[in-house]
């Protein structure tokens, strides 16, 4: 049966600093690297070994993938990087301290920006310090200025269908190392979670989530590998 492994990147520097990160490229911390390596050790111990890998074009996810694969003895498997697996773009909130933002705009407004399904944060201004227009990894891509979770799902799911589904249908054990919101998109789809409920789903860093799938790629089980 096809199997899908989802791993959210290990703790990043801006996770630690409680800042909105989104598409900005931030590295993992020492703790985040250790979380990723431990995830790979767990995969090896449990005999859940990926045969093909997908990740975003963001450093924290790529490093997490490589540390997971190193620990699992699987650095050699094919991997594909794509911006459509990036984190949700937090627009004008990028780089801001979450507590300071709540103090400035109010807890209720920040909660709407963070947790509503289809209300995006204010757009990032062109030319701001977090403008990615000159980043070569996004050459030729229409970089969003902000995204809601709904917007994020609208780019993640078509990529899943065109790139990841064929690998699963071919019998591969697929690992996706990505981000809280891009993984929410996949979990929502695979587990049939409602628009209202998906915003409250927390995905912890560095904890492999396993999907057992049937031949039609419908989920028959979802669990944290650490709990089996």
């Amino acid at each position: 049966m096809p199997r899908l492994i989802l791993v959210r990147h290990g703790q990043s520097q801006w996770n630690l600093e409680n800042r909105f990160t989104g598409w900005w490229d931030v590295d993992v911390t020492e703790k985040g690297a250790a979380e990723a390596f431990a995830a790979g050790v767990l995969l090896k111990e449990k005999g859940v070994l990926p045969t093909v890998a997908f990740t975003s074009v963001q450093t924290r996810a790529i490093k997490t993938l490589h540390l997971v694969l190193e620990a699992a003895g699987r650095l050699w498997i094919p991997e594909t990087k794509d911006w459509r697996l990036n984190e949700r773009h937090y627009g004008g909130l990028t780089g801001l301290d979450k507590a300071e933002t709540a103090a400035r705009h109010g807890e209720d407004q920040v909660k709407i920006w963070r947790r509503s399904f289809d209300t995006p944060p204010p757009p990032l201004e062109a030319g701001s310090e977090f403008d990615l227009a000159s980043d070569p990894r996004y050459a030729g891509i229409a970089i969003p200025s902000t995204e809601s979770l709904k917007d994020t799902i609208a780019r993640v799911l078509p990529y899943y269908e065109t790139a990841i589904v064929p690998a699963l249908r071919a019998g591969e054990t697929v690992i996706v190392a990505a981000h809280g919101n891009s993984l929410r998109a996949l979990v929502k789809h695979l587990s049939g979670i409602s628009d209202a409920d998906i915003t409250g789903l927390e995905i912890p860093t560095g904890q492999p989530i396993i999907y057992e799938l049937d031949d039609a790629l419908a989920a028959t089980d979802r669990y944290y590998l650490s709990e089996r």
Side-chain angles (χ1 to χ4, degrees), residues 49-52 69-70 72-79:
L49 297 174
T51 58
V52 65
L69 295 180
E70 180 182 352
R74 291 269 153 162
L75 265 176
W76 51 270
I77 68 171
E79 68 179 70

Side-chain angles (χ1 to χ4, degrees), residues 25-78:
D25 205 32
V26 177
D27 208 342
V28 291
T29 60
E30 285 188 22
K31 178 184 177 182
E35 287 174 340
F37 198 83
V41 169
L42 185 63
L43 290 175
K44 188 172 184 178
E45 287 176 349
K46 299 287 188 177
V48 181
L49 297 174
T51 58
V52 65
F54 296 86
T55 189
S56 72
V57 295
Q58 297 184 272
T59 298
R60 56 193 185 272
I62 296 167
K63 278 199 175 178
T64 293
L65 175 63
H66 291 172
L67 287 164
V68 168
L69 295 180
E70 180 182 352
R74 291 269 153 162
L75 265 176
W76 51 270
I77 68 171

Side-chain angles (χ1 to χ4, degrees), residues 39-195:
V41 169
L42 185 63
L43 290 175
K44 188 172 184 178
E45 287 176 349
K46 299 287 188 177
V48 181
L49 297 174
T51 58
V52 65
F54 296 86
T55 189
S56 72
V57 295
Q58 297 184 272
T59 298
R60 56 193 185 272
I62 296 167
K63 278 199 175 178
T64 293
L65 175 63
H66 291 172
L67 287 164
V68 168
L69 295 180
E70 180 182 352
R74 291 269 153 162
L75 265 176
W76 51 270
I77 68 171
E79 68 179 70
T80 302
K81 304 178 184 75
D82 198 283
W83 66 272
R84 285 166 290 189
L85 292 175
N86 276 18
E87 178 57 291
R88 169 189 171 191
H89 196 304
Y90 273 103
L93 301 183
T94 303
L96 297 180
D97 177 277
K98 293 177 182 178
E100 290 176 2
T101 306
R104 184 181 310 163
H105 296 283
E107 293 275 1
D108 290 344
Q109 180 61 65
V110 173
K111 186 176 182 181
I112 289 170
W113 286 333
R114 291 187 67 190
R115 292 303 190 199
S116 78
F117 181 69
D118 55 7
T119 302
L124 183 71
E125 291 184 13
S128 85
E129 64 178 308
F130 302 117
D131 188 340
L132 294 165
S134 63
D135 191 317
R137 83 190 84 186
Y138 301 118
I141 292 168
I143 301 171
S145 59
T146 185
E147 287 181 309
S148 63
L149 178 57
K150 183 179 180 180
D151 295 329
T152 308
I153 291 169
R155 62 170 158 84
V156 172
L157 286 190
Y159 182 73
Y160 172 76
E161 295 291 347
T162 58
I164 298 174
V165 161
L168 291 167
R169 290 200 189 284
E172 306 284 2
T173 297
V174 175
I175 184 168
V176 178
H179 308 263
N181 284 295
S182 49
L183 293 179
R184 272 193 187 96
L186 294 178
V187 170
K188 183 183 191 304
H189 172 69
L190 290 165
S191 295
I193 298 174
S194 70
D195 295 354

